[in-house]
Amino acid sequence: MLVIYLMKKTIRMATLLLAISFLSFLLVKNSPLDPVQAYIGADMANVSHEQREQIAKYWGLDEPVMLQYTRWAGSLLSGDMGTSMIYREPVAIFIAERFQNSIILMLTAWFLSGMIGFVLGSLAAMNKGAFTDHVIKWYCYTLASTPTFWMGLLVLMVFSVWLGWFPVGLGVPAGKLAEEITLGEQLQHLALPALTLSIVGVGNIALHTRQKLIDVLKSEYITFARARGESGFELFWKHGLRNILAPALMLQFASFSELFGGAVLAEQVFSYPGLGQATVEAGLKGDVPLLLGLVLFSTVFVFIGNLIGDILHHLVDPRMREEWRT
Amino acid sequence: MAILEVENLSVSFNQYKMFRSVKSKVISSLSIAVDEGEIVAVVGASGSGKSLLAQAILGILPPNATIDGIMLFRGETLTLARQKALRGREIAIIPQSVNSLDPLMRAGSHVRTSVTAGNASDLQKEVFKRYHLEEKVEKLYPFQLSGGMARRVLLASAMVSGAKVIIADEPTPGLDEQYVAEALQHLREFADNGCGVLLITHDIGAALKIADKIAVFYAGTTVEIASIENFRGDGEDLRHPFSKALWRALPENGFEPIPGSQPQPDKLPSGCLFAARCKKAAAACSAAFPEMRELRNGRVRCIHAT
């Protein structure tokens, strides 16, 4: 039943968040990150040991870990994610702002790599063993073993440095007032990181689609369809596509985690002000509230991706729909 | 006139075992003919290459298979292009497995895509009635069908295709007795309209009920082609030692088992394929692969048969 399904998923999400928040809190607590130092920053030499202890006491850092956790989790539940120490802004607002930048980047890459990957994978499988298949496979293996940051540098070198078509980095032109920035300029800054993420994502999707379609083509129903005179595109359209669509959708939405991981690297290379770059900054500069906030946010983001994939799978596949009914 | 003819058909597969290519011959020098208005049953144990015969005729063998021999449809050689043009239109198949239904295609749609001429929707409704499939079955997916219903959908698909030859590969397992009788009856009626049926089965009983001739299969070849009247008594009218042994192995005819087992396709003997299990086997039997020869209005592949 749909209601039970949704309830189950909600409970799973809640337990997941609880576990993740607790684990990451413990990890941060036991890491060499010092929130006091992060707060003070470069003025460290001017602050005495006693003053630092006072700050720690003021923040409750001398209390037992469990008490600190429950206090943090409690305010989290009431919607207060704390204040970022490096950006001096409430974490929730900061994440929301950065997410707007990232989501455009990620969605573009996600859509492009999904579509191109699916088409390439299908083409390869339908022509298995032929020249087309070899070329696509070779291309995908190369892509799948290409690190994102390296691809980013390559793209940067070709399109910004040599050709000069796109800016070298940042989300908007430097030295311009916020009101003067046009949509075109924003898109121009978005293009290269999105291109990098798309290119890198294609390999995996294409290889998965190819394998799945090859399995489908080996099945008895395809043999029977061939026996009835179907072949080529008709065969793919009537039987192949239907049977790989559900797993492809699942895979596509499950790739949210890789997308986020890829964005961290791509945004870093292009100095693009998104969530990925913020994560790197928060980690390097010891911004604990922001780091924890980002961990939780990315958990929700990936979980929702999987959930959408799962729901779509149920909608597309009649065997899964039946599960909801009974 | 023969509507479908197969002469000296051999099918082998190249497989890789431990890094070397092994050729396994699954069908050797097979000959069979189906006349207009005739049902020819192909009977043999499982693993004797019966289903591959169907795939060979339709030209849908896996790519690592090599074919040798001649196949004719209405006197015309079946080339790959010809097979492609004919399958589903002139030659239809009733597949062995109910997994042959696309898991994401509704039963009605399955039958409608098999229609090659006429109003698909009307024909589908008509054939559903004929096979006692309720109207709501149209909308069901294969996983919602019982084994018997799926089987009847497969039968119905072949019947609406308008083909002149039906290759029925074990069409009846999982069906109730009444439906089996009906399904066989439908095949008989189909043949009586001037078409041909190649009925592949391991059930001699079913074959005897409707077929005109029976081709006995052993290790990928026909050892005997006999009219059904020959299958009686103690098998004294049968020509080949294997046919006789197969007949006597039936529960109602003595239940006498044949010792030994069929040779593996990659380890076929060079002479008679049945020699190792044959009581009459002599040195001459292992010397050369026996040719199919005419004998008492039938055909046999044995040098001793009388």
Side-chain angles (χ1 to χ4, degrees):
Chain A
M1 285 253 291
L2 186 60
V3 182
I4 295 177
Y5 170 84
L6 285 176
M7 265 168 61
K8 262 191 198 161
K9 286 284 174 191
T10 315
I11 292 170
R12 191 169 297 171
M13 168 111 159
T15 48
L16 179 73
L17 279 178
L18 187 73
I20 293 281
S21 66
F22 187 63
L23 266 177
S24 40
F25 190 85
L26 278 189
L27 279 173
V28 166
K29 268 277 129 193
N30 287 301
S31 75
L33 288 184
D34 183 1
V36 180
Q37 191 180 342
Y39 176 68
I40 299 164
D43 296 332
M44 204 62 181
N46 302 330
V47 180
S48 72
H49 186 70
E50 286 74 27
Q51 280 173 310
R52 269 190 274 164
E53 266 183 359
Q54 254 180 337
I55 298 175
K57 194 162 183 192
Y58 176 72
W59 281 349
L61 291 174
D62 51 349
E63 285 169 31
V65 176
M66 277 313 287
L67 193 69
Q68 289 185 39
Y69 172 71
T70 42
R71 193 175 293 153
W72 173 68
S75 51
L76 207 61
L77 281 178
S78 65
D80 177 15
M81 297 176 84
T83 308
S84 161
M85 288 170 175
I86 47 176
Y87 295 101
R88 315 275 161 173
E89 222 183 319
V91 170
I93 293 176
F94 179 76
I95 289 181
E97 195 181 286
R98 285 300 183 92
F99 182 62
Q100 280 173 8
N101 288 340
S102 279
I103 193 71
I104 305 169
L105 171 66
M106 287 195 276
L107 274 184
T108 316
W110 178 79
F111 183 77
L112 282 179
S113 61
M115 289 312 246
I116 298 171
F118 188 79
V119 171
L120 283 184
S122 302
L123 264 178
M126 290 304 287
N127 298 295
K128 193 189 162 220
F131 181 70
T132 323
D133 182 31
H134 287 306
V135 171
I136 292 175
K137 232 167 44 181
W138 178 84
Y139 178 68
C140 290
Y141 283 137
T142 312
L143 283 187
S145 47
T146 306
T148 311
F149 72 89
W150 186 78
M151 179 56 79
L153 289 175
L154 208 65
V155 165
L156 206 58
M157 217 159 79
V158 174
F159 292 102
S160 331
V161 180
W162 292 350
L163 297 172
W165 291 353
F166 295 100
V168 179
L170 304 178
V172 290
K176 241 185 171 181
L177 288 175
E179 306 82 79
E180 291 172 7
I181 295 160
T182 61
L183 183 69
E185 282 170 335
Q186 277 181 316
L187 288 179
Q188 214 184 9
H189 280 80
L190 177 76
L192 287 189
L195 180 69
T196 307
L197 270 184
S198 310
I199 293 177
V200 172
V202 163
N204 258 329
I205 303 272
L207 288 174
H208 271 106
T209 309
R210 176 181 176 273
Q211 194 49 48
K212 188 70 205 162
L213 187 54
I214 284 175
D215 289 345
V216 165
L217 289 176
K218 275 189 205 149
S219 68
E220 286 172 292
Y221 57 87
I222 292 291
T223 309
F224 183 43
R226 282 191 210 279
R228 287 180 301 168
E230 288 174 25
S231 65
F233 187 71
E234 187 192 11
L235 192 72
F236 171 73
W237 189 251
K238 275 191 186 162
H239 306 285
L241 183 63
R242 272 175 215 249
N243 281 284
I244 55 166
L245 197 60
L249 280 174
M250 277 288 268
L251 179 73
Q252 185 65 8
F253 281 92
S255 71
F256 270 31
S257 61
E258 283 154 47
L259 200 63
F260 199 89
V264 170
L265 295 165
E267 287 178 9
Q268 193 60 22
V269 172
F270 292 96
S271 316
Y272 188 83
L275 276 187
Q277 200 204 23
T279 312
V280 176
E281 289 284 294
L284 288 178
K285 295 195 176 147
D287 190 344
V288 177
L290 181 59
L291 197 59
L292 287 175
L294 282 166
V295 167
L296 290 181
F297 181 79
S298 56
T299 308
V300 174
F301 180 68
V302 172
F303 185 88
I304 287 178
N306 283 311
L307 183 68
I308 296 174
D310 204 41
I311 290 175
L312 282 178
H313 190 194
H314 279 78
L315 289 178
V316 169
D317 192 327
R319 286 164 293 192
M320 304 288 284
R321 269 205 302 269
E322 190 84 348
E323 215 172 83
W324 271 356
R325 265 191 223 120
T326 49
Chain B
M1 185 196 144
I3 191 161
L4 182 71
E5 250 182 300
V6 175
E7 275 298 321
N8 269 321
L9 177 75
S10 294
V11 175
S12 14
F13 282 97
N14 274 320
Q15 277 169 325
Y16 286 92
K17 276 183 191 166
M18 303 291 285
F19 302 110
R20 62 199 174 85
S21 164
V22 178
K23 203 167 193 180
S24 79
K25 207 168 188 185
V26 284
I27 292 181
S28 22
S29 308
L30 178 143
S31 299
I32 203 168
V34 183
D35 284 347
E36 279 176 358
E38 198 177 54
I39 298 183
V40 175
V42 174
V43 175
S46 45
S48 55
K50 290 174 299 182
S51 297
L52 289 166
L53 170 62
Q55 292 188 15
I57 293 172
L58 291 165
I60 50 168
L61 283 168
N64 61 336
T66 40
I67 297 191
D68 196 34
I70 303 166
M71 292 182 280
L72 301 170
F73 177 78
R74 291 183 151 168
E76 238 182 295
T77 308
L78 279 176
T79 56
L80 264 179
R82 202 77 198 108
Q83 282 171 325
K84 204 173 170 192
L86 291 178
R87 60 186 179 229
R89 288 169 193 86
E90 296 292 320
I91 309 175
I93 188 172
I94 303 172
Q96 181 175 12
S97 166
V98 289
N99 293 334
S100 301
L101 294 173
D102 184 334
L104 298 182
M105 202 178 213
R106 296 175 201 271
S109 170
H110 250 288
V111 173
R112 286 193 294 273
T113 53
S114 301
V115 176
T116 48
N119 185 319
S121 176
D122 291 350
L123 283 167
Q124 177 250 312
K125 286 195 166 41
E126 210 173 288
V127 81
F128 263 45
K129 255 188 218 125
R130 194 173 174 204
Y131 283 96
H132 311 287
L133 292 163
E134 288 173 60
E135 218 177 305
K136 63 168 195 216
V137 176
E138 267 178 46
K139 293 256 177 291
L140 296 185
Y141 287 97
F143 76 98
Q144 295 164 313
L145 301 174
S146 71
M149 280 151 89
R151 187 66 68 191
R152 280 177 280 153
V153 170
L154 290 174
L155 287 164
S157 298
M159 285 298 171
V160 294
S161 65
K164 293 286 171 290
V165 169
I166 287 185
I167 303 171
D169 189 0
E170 304 277 11
T172 54
L175 282 182
D176 294 340
E177 224 166 292
Q178 172 216 343
Y179 289 139
V180 171
E182 273 189 36
L184 293 176
Q185 186 53 38
H186 291 153
L187 285 176
R188 185 68 258 175
E189 284 165 20
F190 175 79
D192 290 343
N193 286 331
C195 300
V197 175
L198 192 66
L199 175 67
I200 297 172
T201 180
H202 64 270
D203 182 1
I204 301 188
L208 286 176
K209 267 182 222 154
I210 57 155
D212 300 289
K213 281 188 216 155
I214 291 183
V216 180
F217 234 61
Y218 184 78
T221 194
T222 37
V223 293
E224 173 167 359
I225 296 172
S227 139
I228 52 162
E229 288 90 46
N230 295 145
F231 288 82
R232 62 181 186 93
D234 216 16
E236 61 272 10
D237 291 349
L238 292 171
R239 298 158 191 82
H240 197 279
F242 175 68
S243 321
K244 288 179 198 255
L246 188 68
W247 177 246
R248 288 196 204 113
L250 293 179
E252 57 272 31
N253 300 334
F255 218 1
E256 227 178 277
I258 320 168
S261 58
Q262 220 168 223
Q264 292 295 315
D266 54 342
K267 295 186 192 90
L268 292 184
S270 56
C272 173
L273 301 181
F274 188 60
R277 302 168 75 186
C278 186
K279 283 180 199 149
K280 289 189 188 165
C285 294
S286 310
F289 187 66
E291 289 295 315
M292 206 72 174
R293 61 187 172 98
E294 302 287 330
L295 183 71
R296 290 189 278 115
N297 277 327
R299 301 180 82 190
V300 68
R301 194 188 290 284
C302 174
I303 51 172
H304 295 302
T306 48

